C-alpha cells in the first residue's frame, strides 16, 4: 500500500502552534488553529477585525505569539481587551498589518512598510534573519488564501498610541 499519496505536498502548509496552516484557509481561520496565537485571535475578535482579516486582501500580517503578549507590562493586554479600549486595540492590531502579500524574500534590509494603521515599520535583514520594527520573524511565509502571515516574537506598538 502506498501511503505517500496521503501526505501533503511540499509547501502545502506550515506548522504553527501545533497546527498545520494551509493556503486553503484565510488568515483568521489559520491563526485560530494555532495554540501559540490565542491572544492575538482574541484581540482581533475584541477589535471587531475578524471580518476584515477574513476579507479578500491580500494582507501581510506580522502575528505576535502569546509569549510576545506576555512580555508586555503587566495589565497591558487586559487593558487593551476592555471594550473602552477598542480604538487603541484596533491601532495596535492594524499596526501589524500591511496591504499586499509579502513573503520573507520580498522584504529587503532598510525597507519601510506602511501599515494599515498608517505608521511605517522598518525592515532589517541580517544573516538571513528578517526583523520588522524590532521584532524577529520566527516563522516566515505562512500562506493563507488571502495573504501571508509571519510569526514574530514581539508585539509592535505604534508611536501614536
Amino acid at each position: 500500500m502506498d501511503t505517500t499519496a496521503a501526505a501533503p505536498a511540499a509547501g502545502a502548509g506550515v506548522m504553527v502552534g501545533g497546527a498545520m496552516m494551509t493556503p486553503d484557509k484565510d488568515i483568521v481561520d489559520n491563526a485560530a488553529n494555532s495554540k501559540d496565537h490565542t491572544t492575538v485571535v482574541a484581540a482581533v475578535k475584541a477589535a471587531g477585525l475578524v471580518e476584515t482579516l477574513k476579507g479578500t486582501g491580500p494582507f501581510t500580517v506580522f502575528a505576535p505569539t502569546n509569549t510576545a503578549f506576555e512580555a508586555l507590562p503587566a495589565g497591558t493586554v487586559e487593558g487593551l481587551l476592555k471594550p473602552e479600549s477598542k480604538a487603541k486595540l484596533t491601532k495596535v492590531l492594524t499596526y501589524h498589518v500591511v496591504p499586499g502579500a509579502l513573503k520573507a524574500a520580498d522584504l529587503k534590509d532598510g525597507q519601510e512598510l506602511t501599515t494599515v494603521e498608517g505608521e511605517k515599520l522598518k525592515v532589517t535583514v541580517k544573516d538571513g534573519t528578517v526583523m520588522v520594527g524590532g521584532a524577529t520573524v520566527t516563522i516566515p511565509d505562512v500562506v493563507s488564501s488571502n495573504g501571508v502571515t509571519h510569526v514574530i516574537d514581539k508585539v509592535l506598538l505604534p508611536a501614536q498610541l
Side-chain angles (χ1 to χ4, degrees):
M1 182 173 157
D2 182 9
T3 57
T4 56
V14 177
M15 191 65 84
V16 178
M20 185 61 69
M21 306 288 118
T22 57
D24 61 326
K25 294 185 183 123
D26 63 51
I27 290 169
V28 174
D29 289 345
N30 267 327
N33 290 323
S34 168
K35 66 177 176 37
D36 292 341
H37 291 88
T38 56
T39 304
V40 76
V41 169
V44 166
K45 288 177 182 173
L49 293 173
V50 171
E51 289 308 310
T52 301
L53 290 176
K54 285 176 90 47
T56 5
F59 306 105
T60 299
V61 176
F62 297 99
T65 60
N66 293 344
T67 306
F69 278 99
E70 290 162 11
L72 291 171
T76 303
V77 174
E78 295 78 8
L80 285 171
L81 291 175
K82 289 181 179 172
E84 61 269 23
S85 298
K86 186 175 179 180
K88 273 188 180 182
L89 179 62
T90 300
K91 264 181 99 58
V92 170
L93 292 173
T94 56
Y95 189 59
H96 290 79
V97 181
V98 176
L102 301 171
K103 290 193 168 184
D106 300 323
L107 301 173
K108 306 295 180 216
D109 190 46
Q111 182 178 9
E112 285 193 338
L113 305 173
T114 302
T115 68
V116 171
E117 182 267 342
E119 293 182 49
K120 294 188 183 301
L121 285 174
K122 186 165 184 178
V123 176
T124 308
V125 181
K126 187 174 181 185
D127 300 325
T129 299
V130 177
M131 295 183 73
V132 178
T136 301
V137 173
T138 57
I139 303 174
D141 301 341
V142 180
V143 177
S144 296
S145 62
N146 62 344
V148 180
T149 301
H150 302 282
V151 177
I152 57 175
D153 66 351
K154 182 177 160 189
V155 177
L156 304 170
L157 297 173
Q160 302 299 316
L161 190 60

